[in-house]
Amino acid sequence: MSSPASARLDRFRRARRDRDLAVIEGFHALKHALRFDAEILEAICAEPQQLQELASELAPDLGGRLMALAHPVEPELFAQLAPRAARTGVIALAKRTHPSFSAVLTDHADAPIVLLEQPRDLSNVGACVRVAAAAEAAAVIVTGRHDPWHADAIRGAAGLHYALPVLWCQEVPASDRALVALDPAGEEIGLREIPPRAVLAFGSERRGLSQELLAQATHRVRIPMRAGVSSLNLATSVAAVLFALRLAATDRGREPSR
Ligand SMILES: C[S@@+](CC[C@H](N)C(=O)[O-])C[C@H]1O[C@@H](n2cnc3c(N)ncnc32)[C@H](O)[C@@H]1O
């Protein structure tokens, strides 16, 4: 018969391969997951005193929810629950969300969708999810072989996968949205020329966007950079575009109506 400790280790190990589950490592990721209504199945902490202090200082809005959820275990067991144990001493299992592509693509709100074509670096994917959530993008869609719900991506996103739809596919279904390719070799155009509800496509860290995607794009746009600089980092370019659009929309909202 397995002990409770080995059963717990086994659940965390299996969860890393389960497409319905998410492993949430660290205080900030768990804090955001709770704020955005993740269904937490199990939470484990190594140092209840430290968790209590973090919760009181950084997440008073969660009241006692974090402490009520977190089950204390010995530090030796905690260290085995993740390849790199979270310094903040907490880890959790939660259900993933499975939003529908058609609901996301047909949504009529003005917010853009971020499409990441075959990204290679999971921390970059996480950083893109984090900034997309902050800028209130409609969704993040990821193609390629890297699961955007991998624990490293969730850690990079500080748990903000629960704040907006994050979808994984190999081919993005067609929709009525404009497809805007973000490409260092694109044209410099005004923000007003980027239509609302666009799918903003960003390429992989090494190769950029594929020829197939560039051929389908309705616009090919460049973020202006100083001469001699080849490109921005993937997550930095997502942040630049989303916040430029968001600030432009805020400015338009402030313009006096004529
Ligand atoms: C690190 S860059 C890829 C660099 C790649 N060698 C290339 O030339 O596209 C990753 C992605 O960030 C986006 N990006 C980076 N700098 C950009 C810029 N100045 N203008 C538009 N998109 C940019 C693009 O979508 C690009 O595919």
Side-chain angles (χ1 to χ4, degrees):
M1 215 172 69
S2 67
S3 68
S6 67
R8 183 160 277 138
L9 276 175
D10 195 45
R11 282 200 296 282
F12 274 80
R13 232 175 256 134
R14 277 188 286 115
R16 289 180 190 279
R17 298 190 296 271
D18 189 328
R19 300 264 167 95
D20 289 322
L21 297 180
V23 180
I24 300 177
E25 298 172 351
F27 172 80
H28 296 288
L30 182 56
K31 169 192 76 180
H32 280 134
L34 283 169
R35 274 194 193 140
F36 291 98
D37 299 325
E39 190 177 336
I40 306 293
L41 302 174
E42 179 171 4
I44 309 291
C45 73
E47 293 178 39
Q49 176 67 33
Q50 174 183 258
L51 185 60
Q52 176 70 70
E53 284 165 16
L54 287 169
S56 318
E57 188 189 343
L58 302 171
D61 54 304
L62 294 177
R65 279 170 72 201
L66 245 163
M67 292 313 292
L69 270 173
H71 179 83
V73 297
E74 293 301 318
E76 296 71 32
L77 172 60
F78 184 82
Q80 294 176 62
L81 293 171
R84 281 179 299 137
R87 278 200 306 272
T88 47
V90 64
I91 188 167
L93 294 185
K95 288 198 177 165
R96 296 186 185 195
T97 60
H98 290 295
S100 107
F101 271 99
S102 71
V104 165
L105 290 168
T106 58
D107 188 273
H108 282 285
D110 279 355
I113 289 176
V114 172
L115 168 63
L116 306 178
E117 192 189 35
Q118 304 193 3
R120 298 162 66 97
D121 178 333
L122 286 165
S123 60
N124 242 343
V125 171
C128 294
V129 170
R130 184 173 185 168
V131 75
E136 293 187 279
V140 175
I141 299 179
V142 179
T143 69
R145 62 192 180 90
H146 293 298
D147 177 1
W149 283 83
H150 186 286
D152 290 351
I154 296 177
R155 193 193 271 244
L160 285 161
H161 285 59
Y162 293 94
L164 82 175
V166 176
L167 301 120
W168 187 23
C169 62
Q170 296 317 318
E171 210 160 298
V172 183
S175 77
D176 66 343
R177 292 174 182 258
L179 178 62
V180 176
L182 275 298
D183 179 14
E187 281 177 81
E188 235 172 272
I189 66 167
L191 289 171
R192 283 173 199 258
E193 290 173 55
I194 297 185
R197 299 179 68 244
V199 174
L200 305 171
F202 298 84
S204 79
E205 292 86 340
R206 190 179 300 169
R207 292 171 188 268
L209 287 165
S210 66
Q211 290 307 316
E212 294 77 22
L213 194 138
L214 289 171
Q216 287 168 32
T218 48
H219 305 67
R220 189 170 172 179
V221 180
R222 166 178 203 274
I223 303 164
M225 294 179 298
R226 179 180 180 174
V229 178
S230 309
S231 67
L232 297 171
N233 156 277
L234 171 59
T236 307
S237 60
V238 173
V241 174
L242 288 181
F243 275 96
L245 289 172
R246 189 176 167 91
L247 293 171
T250 311
D251 278 353
R252 276 199 297 279
R254 287 206 192 103
E255 278 169 13
S257 45
R258 288 160 208 250

